[in-house]
Amino acid sequence: FKKELAHFGSNGMYILNASMGSILTIAAAVALIIYRDTVSAVLTLLPEGWTSALMVMALCFLCGTDVISAPSISLEGKTLWLLKSLPVTPRVILMSKVKTHVAVALPVTLIASVCCILALTMTPLECALVVIIPALMTLFGALLGVVVNLRFPKFDYINETAVIKNSMAVMITMFASWGVLAALVALYVVLLDNVIGMVPYMCICAVALAAACAAMYVYLGRGGAKRFAQL
């Protein structure tokens, strides 16, 4: 885990391109605090529950822009064999890459969630969802990045920038995260708007994201570990 953090922190292109979502999240949180009166006045016109829903959607979209874990296996390059020779399980190695993503992105997401709570008027449950769902989306993206990179590694590169910016794993992870968010929004707008309230639906989404994260965690300890051994 320390090795992964050191690698991330020493590569300016890695920081700039893979954590763009965190950079934009900080900017958005600051802007929300500065212009909270204007934003609050606009959001009060929305139906009940939609203020928190929009904050959750915005934060989740930005979370999906972070792809720190997606190129992490590919970046091992020709030294992958050294990593595989360490006296630790594949799960530990793979989860260290997940933890690096979470360690970088989650604090920023939590700070932005707190800014939303301070700037806008929401119920206690809505406040909790504004914190929980983006946090789960961060974990989802971290796990998904490693899962996808296991399937689509890229070791034949000249420099690391090519992997960080243009690899298939990065593109799939980013667009898959956005696709999940779009699917959840479309499902409610098209089918469930008159069936269930927005806040209960967000609770269901939180459970679904947690289940997806749990499934990927289990996969990394089983099928993912076998796939890593074959690389």
Side-chain angles (χ1 to χ4, degrees):
F1 175 53
K2 291 179 181 178
K3 168 186 169 297
E4 292 294 329
L5 281 177
H7 186 194
F8 176 79
S10 64
N11 190 325
M13 290 301 297
Y14 197 1
I15 295 172
L16 181 62
N17 289 280
S19 60
M20 180 58 68
S22 292
I23 297 171
L24 295 175
T25 298
I26 294 173
V30 172
L32 179 61
I33 293 296
I34 295 174
Y35 300 105
R36 59 182 176 181
D37 293 336
T38 302
V39 175
S40 182
V42 173
L43 293 180
T44 53
L45 302 175
L46 297 174
E48 182 180 355
W50 274 92
T51 295
S52 57
L54 286 177
M55 294 301 101
V56 166
M57 283 187 277
L59 290 174
C60 286
F61 177 82
L62 293 173
C63 289
T65 308
D66 279 332
V67 287
I68 298 166
S69 65
S72 59
I73 297 173
S74 298
L75 289 174
E76 298 296 338
K78 296 179 180 179
T79 64
L80 181 65
W81 69 273
L82 288 173
L83 193 64
K84 293 167 68 174
S85 68
L86 294 176
V88 293
T89 63
R91 182 198 288 274
V92 171
I93 295 172
L94 297 176
M95 286 306 298
S96 70
K97 300 178 183 300
V98 174
K99 290 176 182 177
T100 300
H101 184 123
V102 173
V104 174
L106 184 57
V108 174
T109 300
L110 293 177
I111 291 171
S113 296
V114 171
C115 288
C116 292
I117 293 171
L118 295 176
L120 304 172
T121 301
M122 294 179 284
T123 66
L125 179 56
E126 288 177 299
C127 291
L129 290 170
V130 169
V131 174
I132 293 171
I133 296 179
L136 286 171
M137 193 67 180
T138 299
L139 179 58
F140 177 86
L143 289 161
L144 180 64
V146 176
V147 170
V148 174
N149 201 192
L150 280 171
R151 180 64 184 83
F152 300 102
K154 180 180 177 64
F155 298 121
D156 55 338
Y157 55 87
I158 299 175
N159 57 68
E160 293 186 342
T161 303
V163 179
I164 297 167
K165 295 181 67 174
N166 301 318
S167 67
M168 185 178 296
V170 169
M171 294 296 104
I172 291 176
T173 300
M174 183 182 297
F175 286 107
S177 297
W178 290 344
V180 168
L181 176 61
L184 291 174
V185 173
L187 178 63
Y188 183 82
V189 172
V190 175
L191 297 177
L192 301 177
D193 188 12
N194 296 319
V195 177
I196 187 173
M198 175 56 76
V199 175
Y201 180 70
M202 286 195 292
C203 293
I204 295 172
C205 291
V207 173
L209 280 174
C213 291
M216 286 190 286
Y217 175 78
V218 171
Y219 169 78
L220 289 180
R222 297 179 181 177
K226 294 179 181 179
R227 173 67 180 171
F228 179 75
Q230 296 170 356
L231 295 179

